[in-house]
Amino acid sequence: MDIKRFFGEATRALAKVPDRRRKKREEEDKKKGDLLPWIGEMATALWRMKRKMENMEKTAMEEKDSKALRRHCEAAWDSLIGGGVEVKDHTGDRYVAGMAVKVMTFQPTPSTQIERIIETIRPTVYFRGALVQRGEVVVATPSENEDKNETQHD
């Protein structure tokens, strides 16, 4: 084999290396892409379960069963968070246009001075800092009647 032919074949072979790496990266990204919606749904389900358990009153369930259920829920939650998932419950936060949330409704509320999130229907979920799922919220807004009353008193 002469030297020109050798270098020609070597150059062509090397030119294909980035393509293989790119294809491998694309395949990995596709796998991650398939996983991201699942992460959002899992995070939402655990978030709901955790909230229910935090608000759960003692019922017919025995105390030992209640503690076991809570322990399993917390272990699953810790595993999710430890894996790089961040779950943001917006309840109580001030609403600012442009937030990573979908407002399901704006609700005029007496005694509200600023727009504030009063209910989180679905949390915002991030995986390793990347947005996976937009939160869904209900926002309290100042009531029009209060605005009119305040102007009349001034």
Side-chain angles (χ1 to χ4, degrees):
M1 176 184 276
D2 68 31
I3 196 97
K4 281 185 174 181
R5 186 171 165 206
F6 171 77
F7 280 115
E9 288 177 16
T11 304
R12 282 190 294 280
L14 286 174
K16 292 180 183 179
V17 171
D19 285 342
R20 283 189 227 139
R21 286 184 188 157
R22 183 178 47 81
K23 286 179 184 177
K24 185 176 180 182
R25 244 191 340 262
E26 286 173 355
E27 288 172 9
E28 288 173 1
D29 289 347
K30 185 177 182 327
K31 288 177 187 174
K32 285 180 193 172
D34 293 343
L35 186 62
L36 293 180
W38 175 84
I39 289 172
E41 291 301 316
M42 179 61 82
T44 299
L46 281 172
W47 170 79
R48 287 181 177 150
M49 204 161 78
K50 186 173 183 263
R51 280 184 39 187
K52 292 280 186 202
M53 291 188 69
E54 288 169 354
N55 297 327
M56 189 171 71
E57 296 177 7
K58 299 245 180 193
T59 58
M61 186 184 296
E62 290 185 29
E63 190 173 336
K64 68 176 185 149
D65 293 334
S66 174
K67 284 182 181 178
L69 182 60
R70 179 178 298 276
R71 192 172 53 249
H72 291 303
C73 177
E74 287 174 358
W77 181 260
D78 291 344
S79 177
L80 196 67
I81 301 305
V85 176
E86 179 188 349
V87 181
K88 175 70 174 139
D89 182 332
H90 296 280
T91 303
D93 292 351
R94 182 177 185 166
Y95 173 72
V96 180
M99 292 176 76
V101 296
K102 178 179 179 183
V103 177
M104 302 309 285
T105 185
F106 286 95
Q107 182 175 324
T109 306
S111 75
T112 298
Q113 301 300 317
I114 59 169
E115 293 182 327
R116 186 162 303 280
I117 298 171
I118 57 172
E119 182 182 356
T120 300
I121 298 166
R122 292 179 77 186
T124 300
V125 179
Y126 300 91
F127 179 60
R128 298 183 180 155
L131 180 66
V132 172
Q133 169 182 286
R134 286 191 181 279
E136 295 178 356
V137 299
V138 176
V139 176
T141 60
S143 174
E144 288 182 24
N145 292 339
E146 277 196 24
D147 291 343
K148 289 178 185 174
N149 289 341
E150 285 178 16
T151 357
Q152 290 174 356
H153 289 20
D154 289 341

